Amino acid sequence: MRGWLSPIAIITAATAAYFGGPFLRFAAVYILGWSLAVFGAWLLLRYGLVNFGIGASYALGAYAAGLMYRYLHTADLAVHLLAAVGAAGAWGALNGAVGIKTRGIYYSLLSLSLSMVLYGVLVKFYTVTGGSDGLYMPDPRLLGVRIGTAGLLALAALLAAAWAALGEVFGRSYAGHVAAGIKINELRTSALGADVGRHILISSVLASIAAGLGGLIVGYSTSHVSPDFAYWVTSGKMVVGGLIASFLPWTWGFVASAALYQAVELYSLQFAYPELVVGGLLLAILAAWRLYYRR
Amino acid sequence: MSLRKSFGGVKAVDGVSMDVEEGERLAVVGPNGSGKTTLINLLSGLLKPDSGDIYFKGIRVTNKPLHARVKLGIARSFQLPSLYQGLTVRQNAAIAVSALRGFSLRPVDEEDVRDALERFGLWEKRDLPVGSLSEGEKKILDIALAVVARPKVLLLDEPTSSVAEENKFELMEFVVGRLKGVSLVIVEHDLDIVEAFADRVAVMHSGRITAVVPPGEVRRMAV
Ligand SMILES: Nc1ncnc2c1ncn2[C@@H]1O[C@H](COP(=O)(O)OP(=O)(O)O)[C@@H](O)[C@H]1O
Ligand SMILES: [Mg+2]
């Protein structure tokens, strides 16, 4: 039963948002999409890996669908999902394989560099990717029918619930315990028989797929994807989200963290220097949690 | 065989050849810096030798990584207990159980965790953070974690160091009594312990094994 708590909490919150009017509906889709990228960052943090390039996966999920529409003229949801999972999964495998021997700040810098290479490609190859203007994202269709706002909200909620369920399972699993071992004492964990590289590679792929699906949802919600999705500042925000989620005691913390962050960012827009407000509030939140858990 | 390993100019292990028989308890003695830990690191796969080969049951394991050797049956403990700080005894054992499973999303089998701890009398301490254990208990837990893999050879690097003098003998009796049939390579300073628990003694000096003697003769060697 305990394992179902997180998916149920997410579905319930999404249902409430549906009845809360158009703004809440849009906000819920956006937050749930964003939360999947936060989940990716959070999963890698379980291994002690700070991925400052997770935005690349987020971008690839959306671009994969945008390119499908632009070149194959298909808005079919199943095709888009497959393309997003394939592109983000392949990217996760690349990131995992390249980063398999790097840890700490070197891993962070390497993942950041890879994402900025992708960012550069997205900006430079205007004719293919739409350059800095990005690409149009169509309303997805399921069996030929537009899924609409309600359908998109349902899709976002189902995806977030599915990843939350995976998070619950992971926490109690052999793999989750190995992650904790790798984070605290990697050498000891290999001396106990764990193939550390394999664990990190698999989780890199999973994290990247989660983030890619998140980008797809957010792209749908704004009908648009741009290279900003892959920009390192975007990744940084996701990492902060993952950190906050890792301080929260529930697996659905990644959604709570995403909601919190988006609320703070929205609130900050009324000020002259929104970045300062966001930064200050996030620092305050982190400090408060640290103090709370020290007791 | 004839293993060699240098760090810069230091020849830490300088041409060692030896065998360990099935079920045998081989002690390795020698002054500080003579290369005992480096030898254990080479055998366990923590370090790659500059030259030489390592065979286990006829299989060449020289290039096999640490985790692959564990699965074949070579496990090790650490000179300074290498535990997961901040976690409980139970969580430490759960990680050891999980490390053998690959990337599996199945829930950890609590029976396995319990077996691992009960075998070494640590089940009652399961909810304590490892930091609150005594030095002896830390040493025992470190070995208990290694034993989860059911090794055929267990490499023990100074299992009694940092344990109070009067408790060393008792600790070894406790540990060795629970490792029947497992080949042991024991790095040890205390000659009383070597005499009581080893079948053979290898004396190391400046990276070389200078003599292999029965335990009764080790006192006559200049160590
Ligand atoms: N990682 C290392 N880097 C450089 N020198 C090392 C390293 N490990 C051991 N040594 C050197 O190798 C020699 C053997 O060390 P070690 O195997 O730890 O000896 P023992 O365990 O017998 O005390 C020493 O001179 C030590 O300083
Ligand atoms: Mg030593």
Side-chain angles (χ1 to χ4, degrees):
Chain A
M1 186 58 220
R2 238 176 74 224
W4 291 101
L5 184 70
S6 282
I8 289 172
I10 289 168
I11 301 279
T12 308
T15 310
Y18 177 75
F19 291 107
F23 173 74
L24 269 190
R25 255 173 253 165
F26 172 80
V29 170
Y30 196 96
I31 285 168
L32 288 168
W34 182 263
S35 79
L36 292 176
V38 170
F39 182 96
W42 170 86
L43 180 61
L44 293 171
L45 283 170
R46 297 283 294 247
Y47 293 83
L49 298 173
V50 180
N51 189 315
F52 271 118
I54 191 78
S57 307
Y58 181 71
L60 276 171
Y63 269 98
L67 290 169
M68 281 287 153
Y69 183 70
R70 179 165 173 164
Y71 291 102
L72 301 178
H73 312 293
T74 176
D76 189 83
L77 179 61
V79 174
H80 285 188
L81 283 171
L82 273 179
V85 167
W91 181 266
L94 175 77
N95 199 333
V98 173
I100 224 149
K101 292 244 185 275
T102 63
R103 295 292 180 270
I105 188 74
Y106 300 102
Y107 176 86
S108 301
L109 288 176
L110 187 78
S111 57
L112 186 142
S113 316
L114 281 174
S115 74
M116 290 314 282
V117 169
L118 181 76
Y119 176 82
V121 167
L122 293 176
V123 171
K124 267 275 172 307
F125 290 85
Y126 182 85
T127 47
V128 181
T129 63
S132 53
D133 296 339
L135 290 179
Y136 172 70
M137 295 278 292
D139 284 347
R141 289 165 181 273
L142 187 63
L143 305 172
V145 183
R146 282 167 190 266
I147 67 169
T149 315
L152 187 56
L153 179 55
L155 174 69
L158 283 177
L159 286 175
W163 286 94
L166 179 78
E168 293 274 0
V169 166
F170 182 80
R172 274 187 286 268
S173 72
Y174 292 116
H177 281 80
V178 171
I182 291 172
K183 180 175 179 180
I184 301 174
N185 189 341
E186 176 175 340
L187 189 62
R188 179 49 155 151
T189 311
S190 12
L192 289 172
D195 185 345
V196 171
R198 192 181 139 84
H199 281 265
I200 287 179
L201 184 62
I202 294 174
S203 280
S204 293
V205 172
L206 288 174
S208 185
I209 290 175
L213 290 170
L216 179 68
I217 296 291
V218 170
Y220 281 153
S221 78
T222 56
S223 304
H224 184 242
V225 54
S226 72
D228 282 349
F229 277 44
Y231 197 53
W232 67 272
V233 175
T234 311
S235 300
K237 292 172 181 177
M238 292 162 177
V239 168
V240 170
L243 257 180
I244 293 175
S246 68
F247 296 147
L248 297 176
W250 334 282
T251 307
W252 54 274
F254 70 95
V255 178
S257 158
L260 181 76
Y261 182 79
Q262 293 301 338
V264 167
E265 201 165 62
L266 189 66
Y267 169 75
S268 73
L269 288 178
Q270 55 186 301
F271 298 98
Y273 297 98
E275 297 82 4
L276 271 182
V277 177
V278 173
L281 274 173
L282 286 177
L283 281 178
I285 290 163
L286 287 178
W289 274 107
R290 294 306 282 181
L291 281 176
Y292 178 77
Y293 273 102
R294 195 160 296 161
R295 279 195 296 123
Chain B
M1 294 248 271
S2 202
L3 285 173
R4 283 171 213 278
K5 178 75 192 182
S6 309
F7 301 103
V10 180
K11 292 175 178 166
V13 167
D14 188 18
V16 164
S17 296
M18 63 170 207
D19 289 294
V20 182
E21 304 296 328
E22 223 174 298
E24 182 189 30
R25 299 199 291 253
L26 175 75
V28 179
V29 301
N32 274 331
S34 59
K36 306 181 297 295
T37 294
T38 304
L39 179 61
I40 298 281
N41 287 344
L42 291 172
L43 296 176
S44 63
L46 203 65
L47 293 175
K48 295 255 176 293
D50 299 334
S51 65
D53 269 312
I54 302 160
Y55 287 87
F56 177 70
K57 288 175 170 266
I59 304 168
R60 183 166 171 271
V61 297
T62 319
N63 294 318
K64 289 205 190 291
L66 199 54
H67 62 87
R69 293 190 206 187
V70 175
K71 279 159 194 149
L72 284 173
I74 307 173
R76 67 168 294 169
S77 72
F78 287 81
Q79 184 168 348
L80 298 171
S82 183
L83 304 173
Y84 298 103
Q85 289 302 325
L87 301 186
T88 63
V89 170
R90 202 199 63 77
Q91 287 167 325
N92 270 261
I95 292 173
V97 166
S98 302
L100 298 163
R101 296 301 181 110
F103 191 97
S104 164
L105 289 173
R106 300 231 311 274
V108 171
D109 187 341
E110 291 296 330
E111 287 293 302
D112 288 347
V113 174
R114 188 183 177 127
D115 287 349
L117 292 175
E118 271 182 342
R119 181 169 186 181
F120 287 91
L122 288 166
W123 181 242
E124 274 66 47
K125 310 259 177 187
R126 62 188 174 278
D127 291 324
L128 294 179
V130 289
S132 70
L133 297 178
S134 71
E135 287 308 313
E137 286 165 342
K138 284 181 189 164
K139 286 288 202 181
I140 292 174
L141 179 57
D142 191 75
I143 293 168
L145 296 185
V147 171
V148 171
R150 301 187 185 286
K152 300 189 179 69
V153 179
L154 182 58
L155 311 167
L156 299 174
D157 195 359
E158 307 210 10
T160 69
S161 70
S162 76
V163 174
E165 199 62 45
E166 64 271 22
N167 297 332
K168 289 187 175 197
F169 202 87
E170 198 185 339
L171 176 105
M172 278 307 281
E173 205 151 47
F174 182 83
V175 168
V176 170
R178 278 158 183 75
L179 296 171
K180 297 259 154 59
V182 180
S183 304
L184 299 179
V185 176
I186 310 167
V187 171
E188 183 54 64
H189 283 296
D190 189 312
L191 294 186
D192 287 336
I193 288 180
V194 169
E195 283 187 340
F197 295 102
D199 301 320
R200 271 196 310 164
V201 185
V203 182
M204 259 190 108
H205 236 285
S206 314
R208 294 164 182 274
I209 291 185
T210 51
V212 179
V213 295
E217 285 173 35
V218 67
R219 276 183 201 282
R220 292 197 289 109
M221 310 286 306
V223 173

